[in-house]
Amino acid sequence: MQHRPQLRQFLRLVPHKYRGPASIAIALIAGAFYLFQSCTGTQIPDGGSAHLRMGNPSQAGSAPDNYLLEKPQYALSYNRSLGTANWVSWQLNASWLGEAERQDDFRPDESLPAGWERIRHGDYMGSGYDRGHLTPSADRTRSASDNSATFLMTNIVPQTPENNRGAWKDLEAYARDLVRQGKELYVVAGVYGKGKRIGDGKVTAPSHTWKAMLVLDRPNAGLDSVSDNARVIAIDIPNRNNLKSDWQDYIVTVDDIEASTGYDLFSNLPDGVETAIERRRDRG
Ligand code: MN
């Protein structure tokens, strides 16, 4: 029997009595299965990468306080010490919007590594803070399971009622208005600064919540289609009560958010475009 050099080398490792046709068949089946798995992307759920198309703002990976979680519905950097995300990033276009009802099933995120504390919705009870969504429930209504994913506690941060239910919420609604006009948005929302600790100290409320939304004229146009004139809406809201009611009162630049957080947003864009859009203030 003639074998290709690599296979022959491999077979040298296999004792003679196992070199029958059955063993080779099993090896071929295992190989085919491995190839199939890598081609269908079993590791990363379908669509997950769309949420990081504009970049990974903190180079999140395996570090416990900058731990990357990729889900079909959004991608996030989790901070084990804070008990919240650092940021969550998601694509928003008409394909994500449908008729699914709000599932309201707040629950621990069991996809965190074994042995890590799971934040529970009870950790927020009596704290004075809302369970504030980073990816809004209403941005994920294509299916009940998509909507349910927004209620994982890794997508939730302690937000003051005035922040969660005021300017923050109004900008969320405005984003969906843009989508209904045919736009596609790449949104990153996150936290910085340390406020009160709640849930027996397991969760740190942020002192600020921020969001940056890149608005593109049509879905799936690709990075090269983003021009210097692309609209970016960025806000930074102090996480307290006694706030102004309009999101326009909290407009900042992406450069401001990058200075406050140390992250690099939209880093996958061509440098000239990135520079231009990050220093421009949206007019609201
Ligand atoms: Mn940037």
Side-chain angles (χ1 to χ4, degrees):
M1 213 168 158
Q2 284 298 313
H3 300 299
R4 286 156 183 268
Q6 279 170 330
L7 185 56
R8 205 183 306 136
Q9 216 167 21
F10 172 76
L11 283 172
R12 220 173 280 145
L13 300 170
V14 181
H16 253 286
K17 59 174 176 174
Y18 295 126
R19 287 188 195 172
S23 312
I24 290 170
I26 287 167
L28 284 175
I29 290 166
F33 182 69
Y34 173 78
L35 266 178
F36 172 77
Q37 272 211 318
S38 33
C39 290
T40 54
T42 309
Q43 298 293 313
I44 299 167
D46 231 25
S49 57
H51 309 308
L52 294 177
R53 189 164 293 160
M54 298 299 155
N56 175 337
S58 60
Q59 295 303 306
S62 58
D65 290 344
N66 187 22
Y67 188 82
L68 182 65
L69 285 178
E70 285 195 274
K71 301 180 188 297
Q73 298 82 10
Y74 51 83
L76 72 81
S77 160
Y78 188 70
N79 189 311
R80 187 187 184 183
S81 303
L82 298 178
T84 70
N86 297 305
W87 52 260
V88 181
S89 183
W90 68 102
Q91 181 198 55
L92 182 59
N93 58 37
S95 79
W96 293 100
L97 303 182
E99 302 295 320
E101 282 178 24
R102 185 181 164 96
Q103 300 297 303
D104 253 322
D105 51 349
F106 291 100
R107 64 197 184 286
D109 190 338
E110 297 299 344
S111 73
L112 290 171
W116 287 26
E117 180 80 49
R118 269 94 170 117
I119 303 306
R120 296 165 189 285
H121 99 112
D123 292 324
Y124 283 56
M125 303 247 286
S127 70
Y129 288 97
D130 281 3
R131 288 160 296 179
H133 284 73
L134 289 172
T135 301
S137 160
D139 278 13
R140 290 295 180 258
T141 53
R142 180 166 60 189
S143 66
S145 66
D146 272 5
N147 185 261
S148 179
T150 70
F151 290 89
L152 291 167
M153 292 303 291
T154 46
N155 180 48
I156 301 297
V157 295
Q159 231 177 349
T160 63
E162 260 195 52
N163 183 3
N164 184 35
R165 304 171 199 180
W168 187 264
K169 184 182 178 184
D170 290 343
L171 181 57
E172 290 176 341
Y174 180 63
R176 289 186 295 274
D177 286 345
L178 292 173
V179 167
R180 286 184 202 100
Q181 295 165 24
K183 311 282 191 196
E184 176 172 76
L185 275 56
Y186 288 88
V187 192
V188 193
V191 301
Y192 73 89
K194 290 183 183 178
K196 217 171 104 183
R197 294 176 77 176
I198 65 170
D200 294 327
K202 288 184 298 228
V203 185
T204 302
S207 65
H208 289 76
T209 56
W210 55 267
K211 172 176 285 185
M213 317 193 312
L214 174 61
V215 184
L216 304 183
D217 285 337
R218 57 200 161 86
N220 305 311
L223 291 181
D224 294 340
S225 75
V226 184
S227 79
D228 288 4
N229 300 319
R231 187 178 181 194
V232 178
I233 303 170
I235 59 164
D236 183 334
I237 304 183
N239 194 29
R240 54 170 169 77
N241 288 315
N242 302 312
L243 294 167
K244 295 171 187 165
S245 56
D246 297 328
W247 61 263
Q248 288 89 344
D249 288 320
Y250 294 100
I251 293 176
V252 294
T253 65
V254 175
D255 282 341
D256 292 330
I257 291 173
E258 292 186 343
S260 301
T261 61
Y263 302 148
D264 184 3
L265 280 69
F266 308 122
S267 61
N268 285 355
L269 290 175
D271 284 341
V273 175
E274 185 186 357
T275 305
I277 66 170
E278 291 188 346
R279 67 175 167 220
R280 199 171 57 239
R281 263 177 80 90
D282 187 71
R283 293 195 191 88

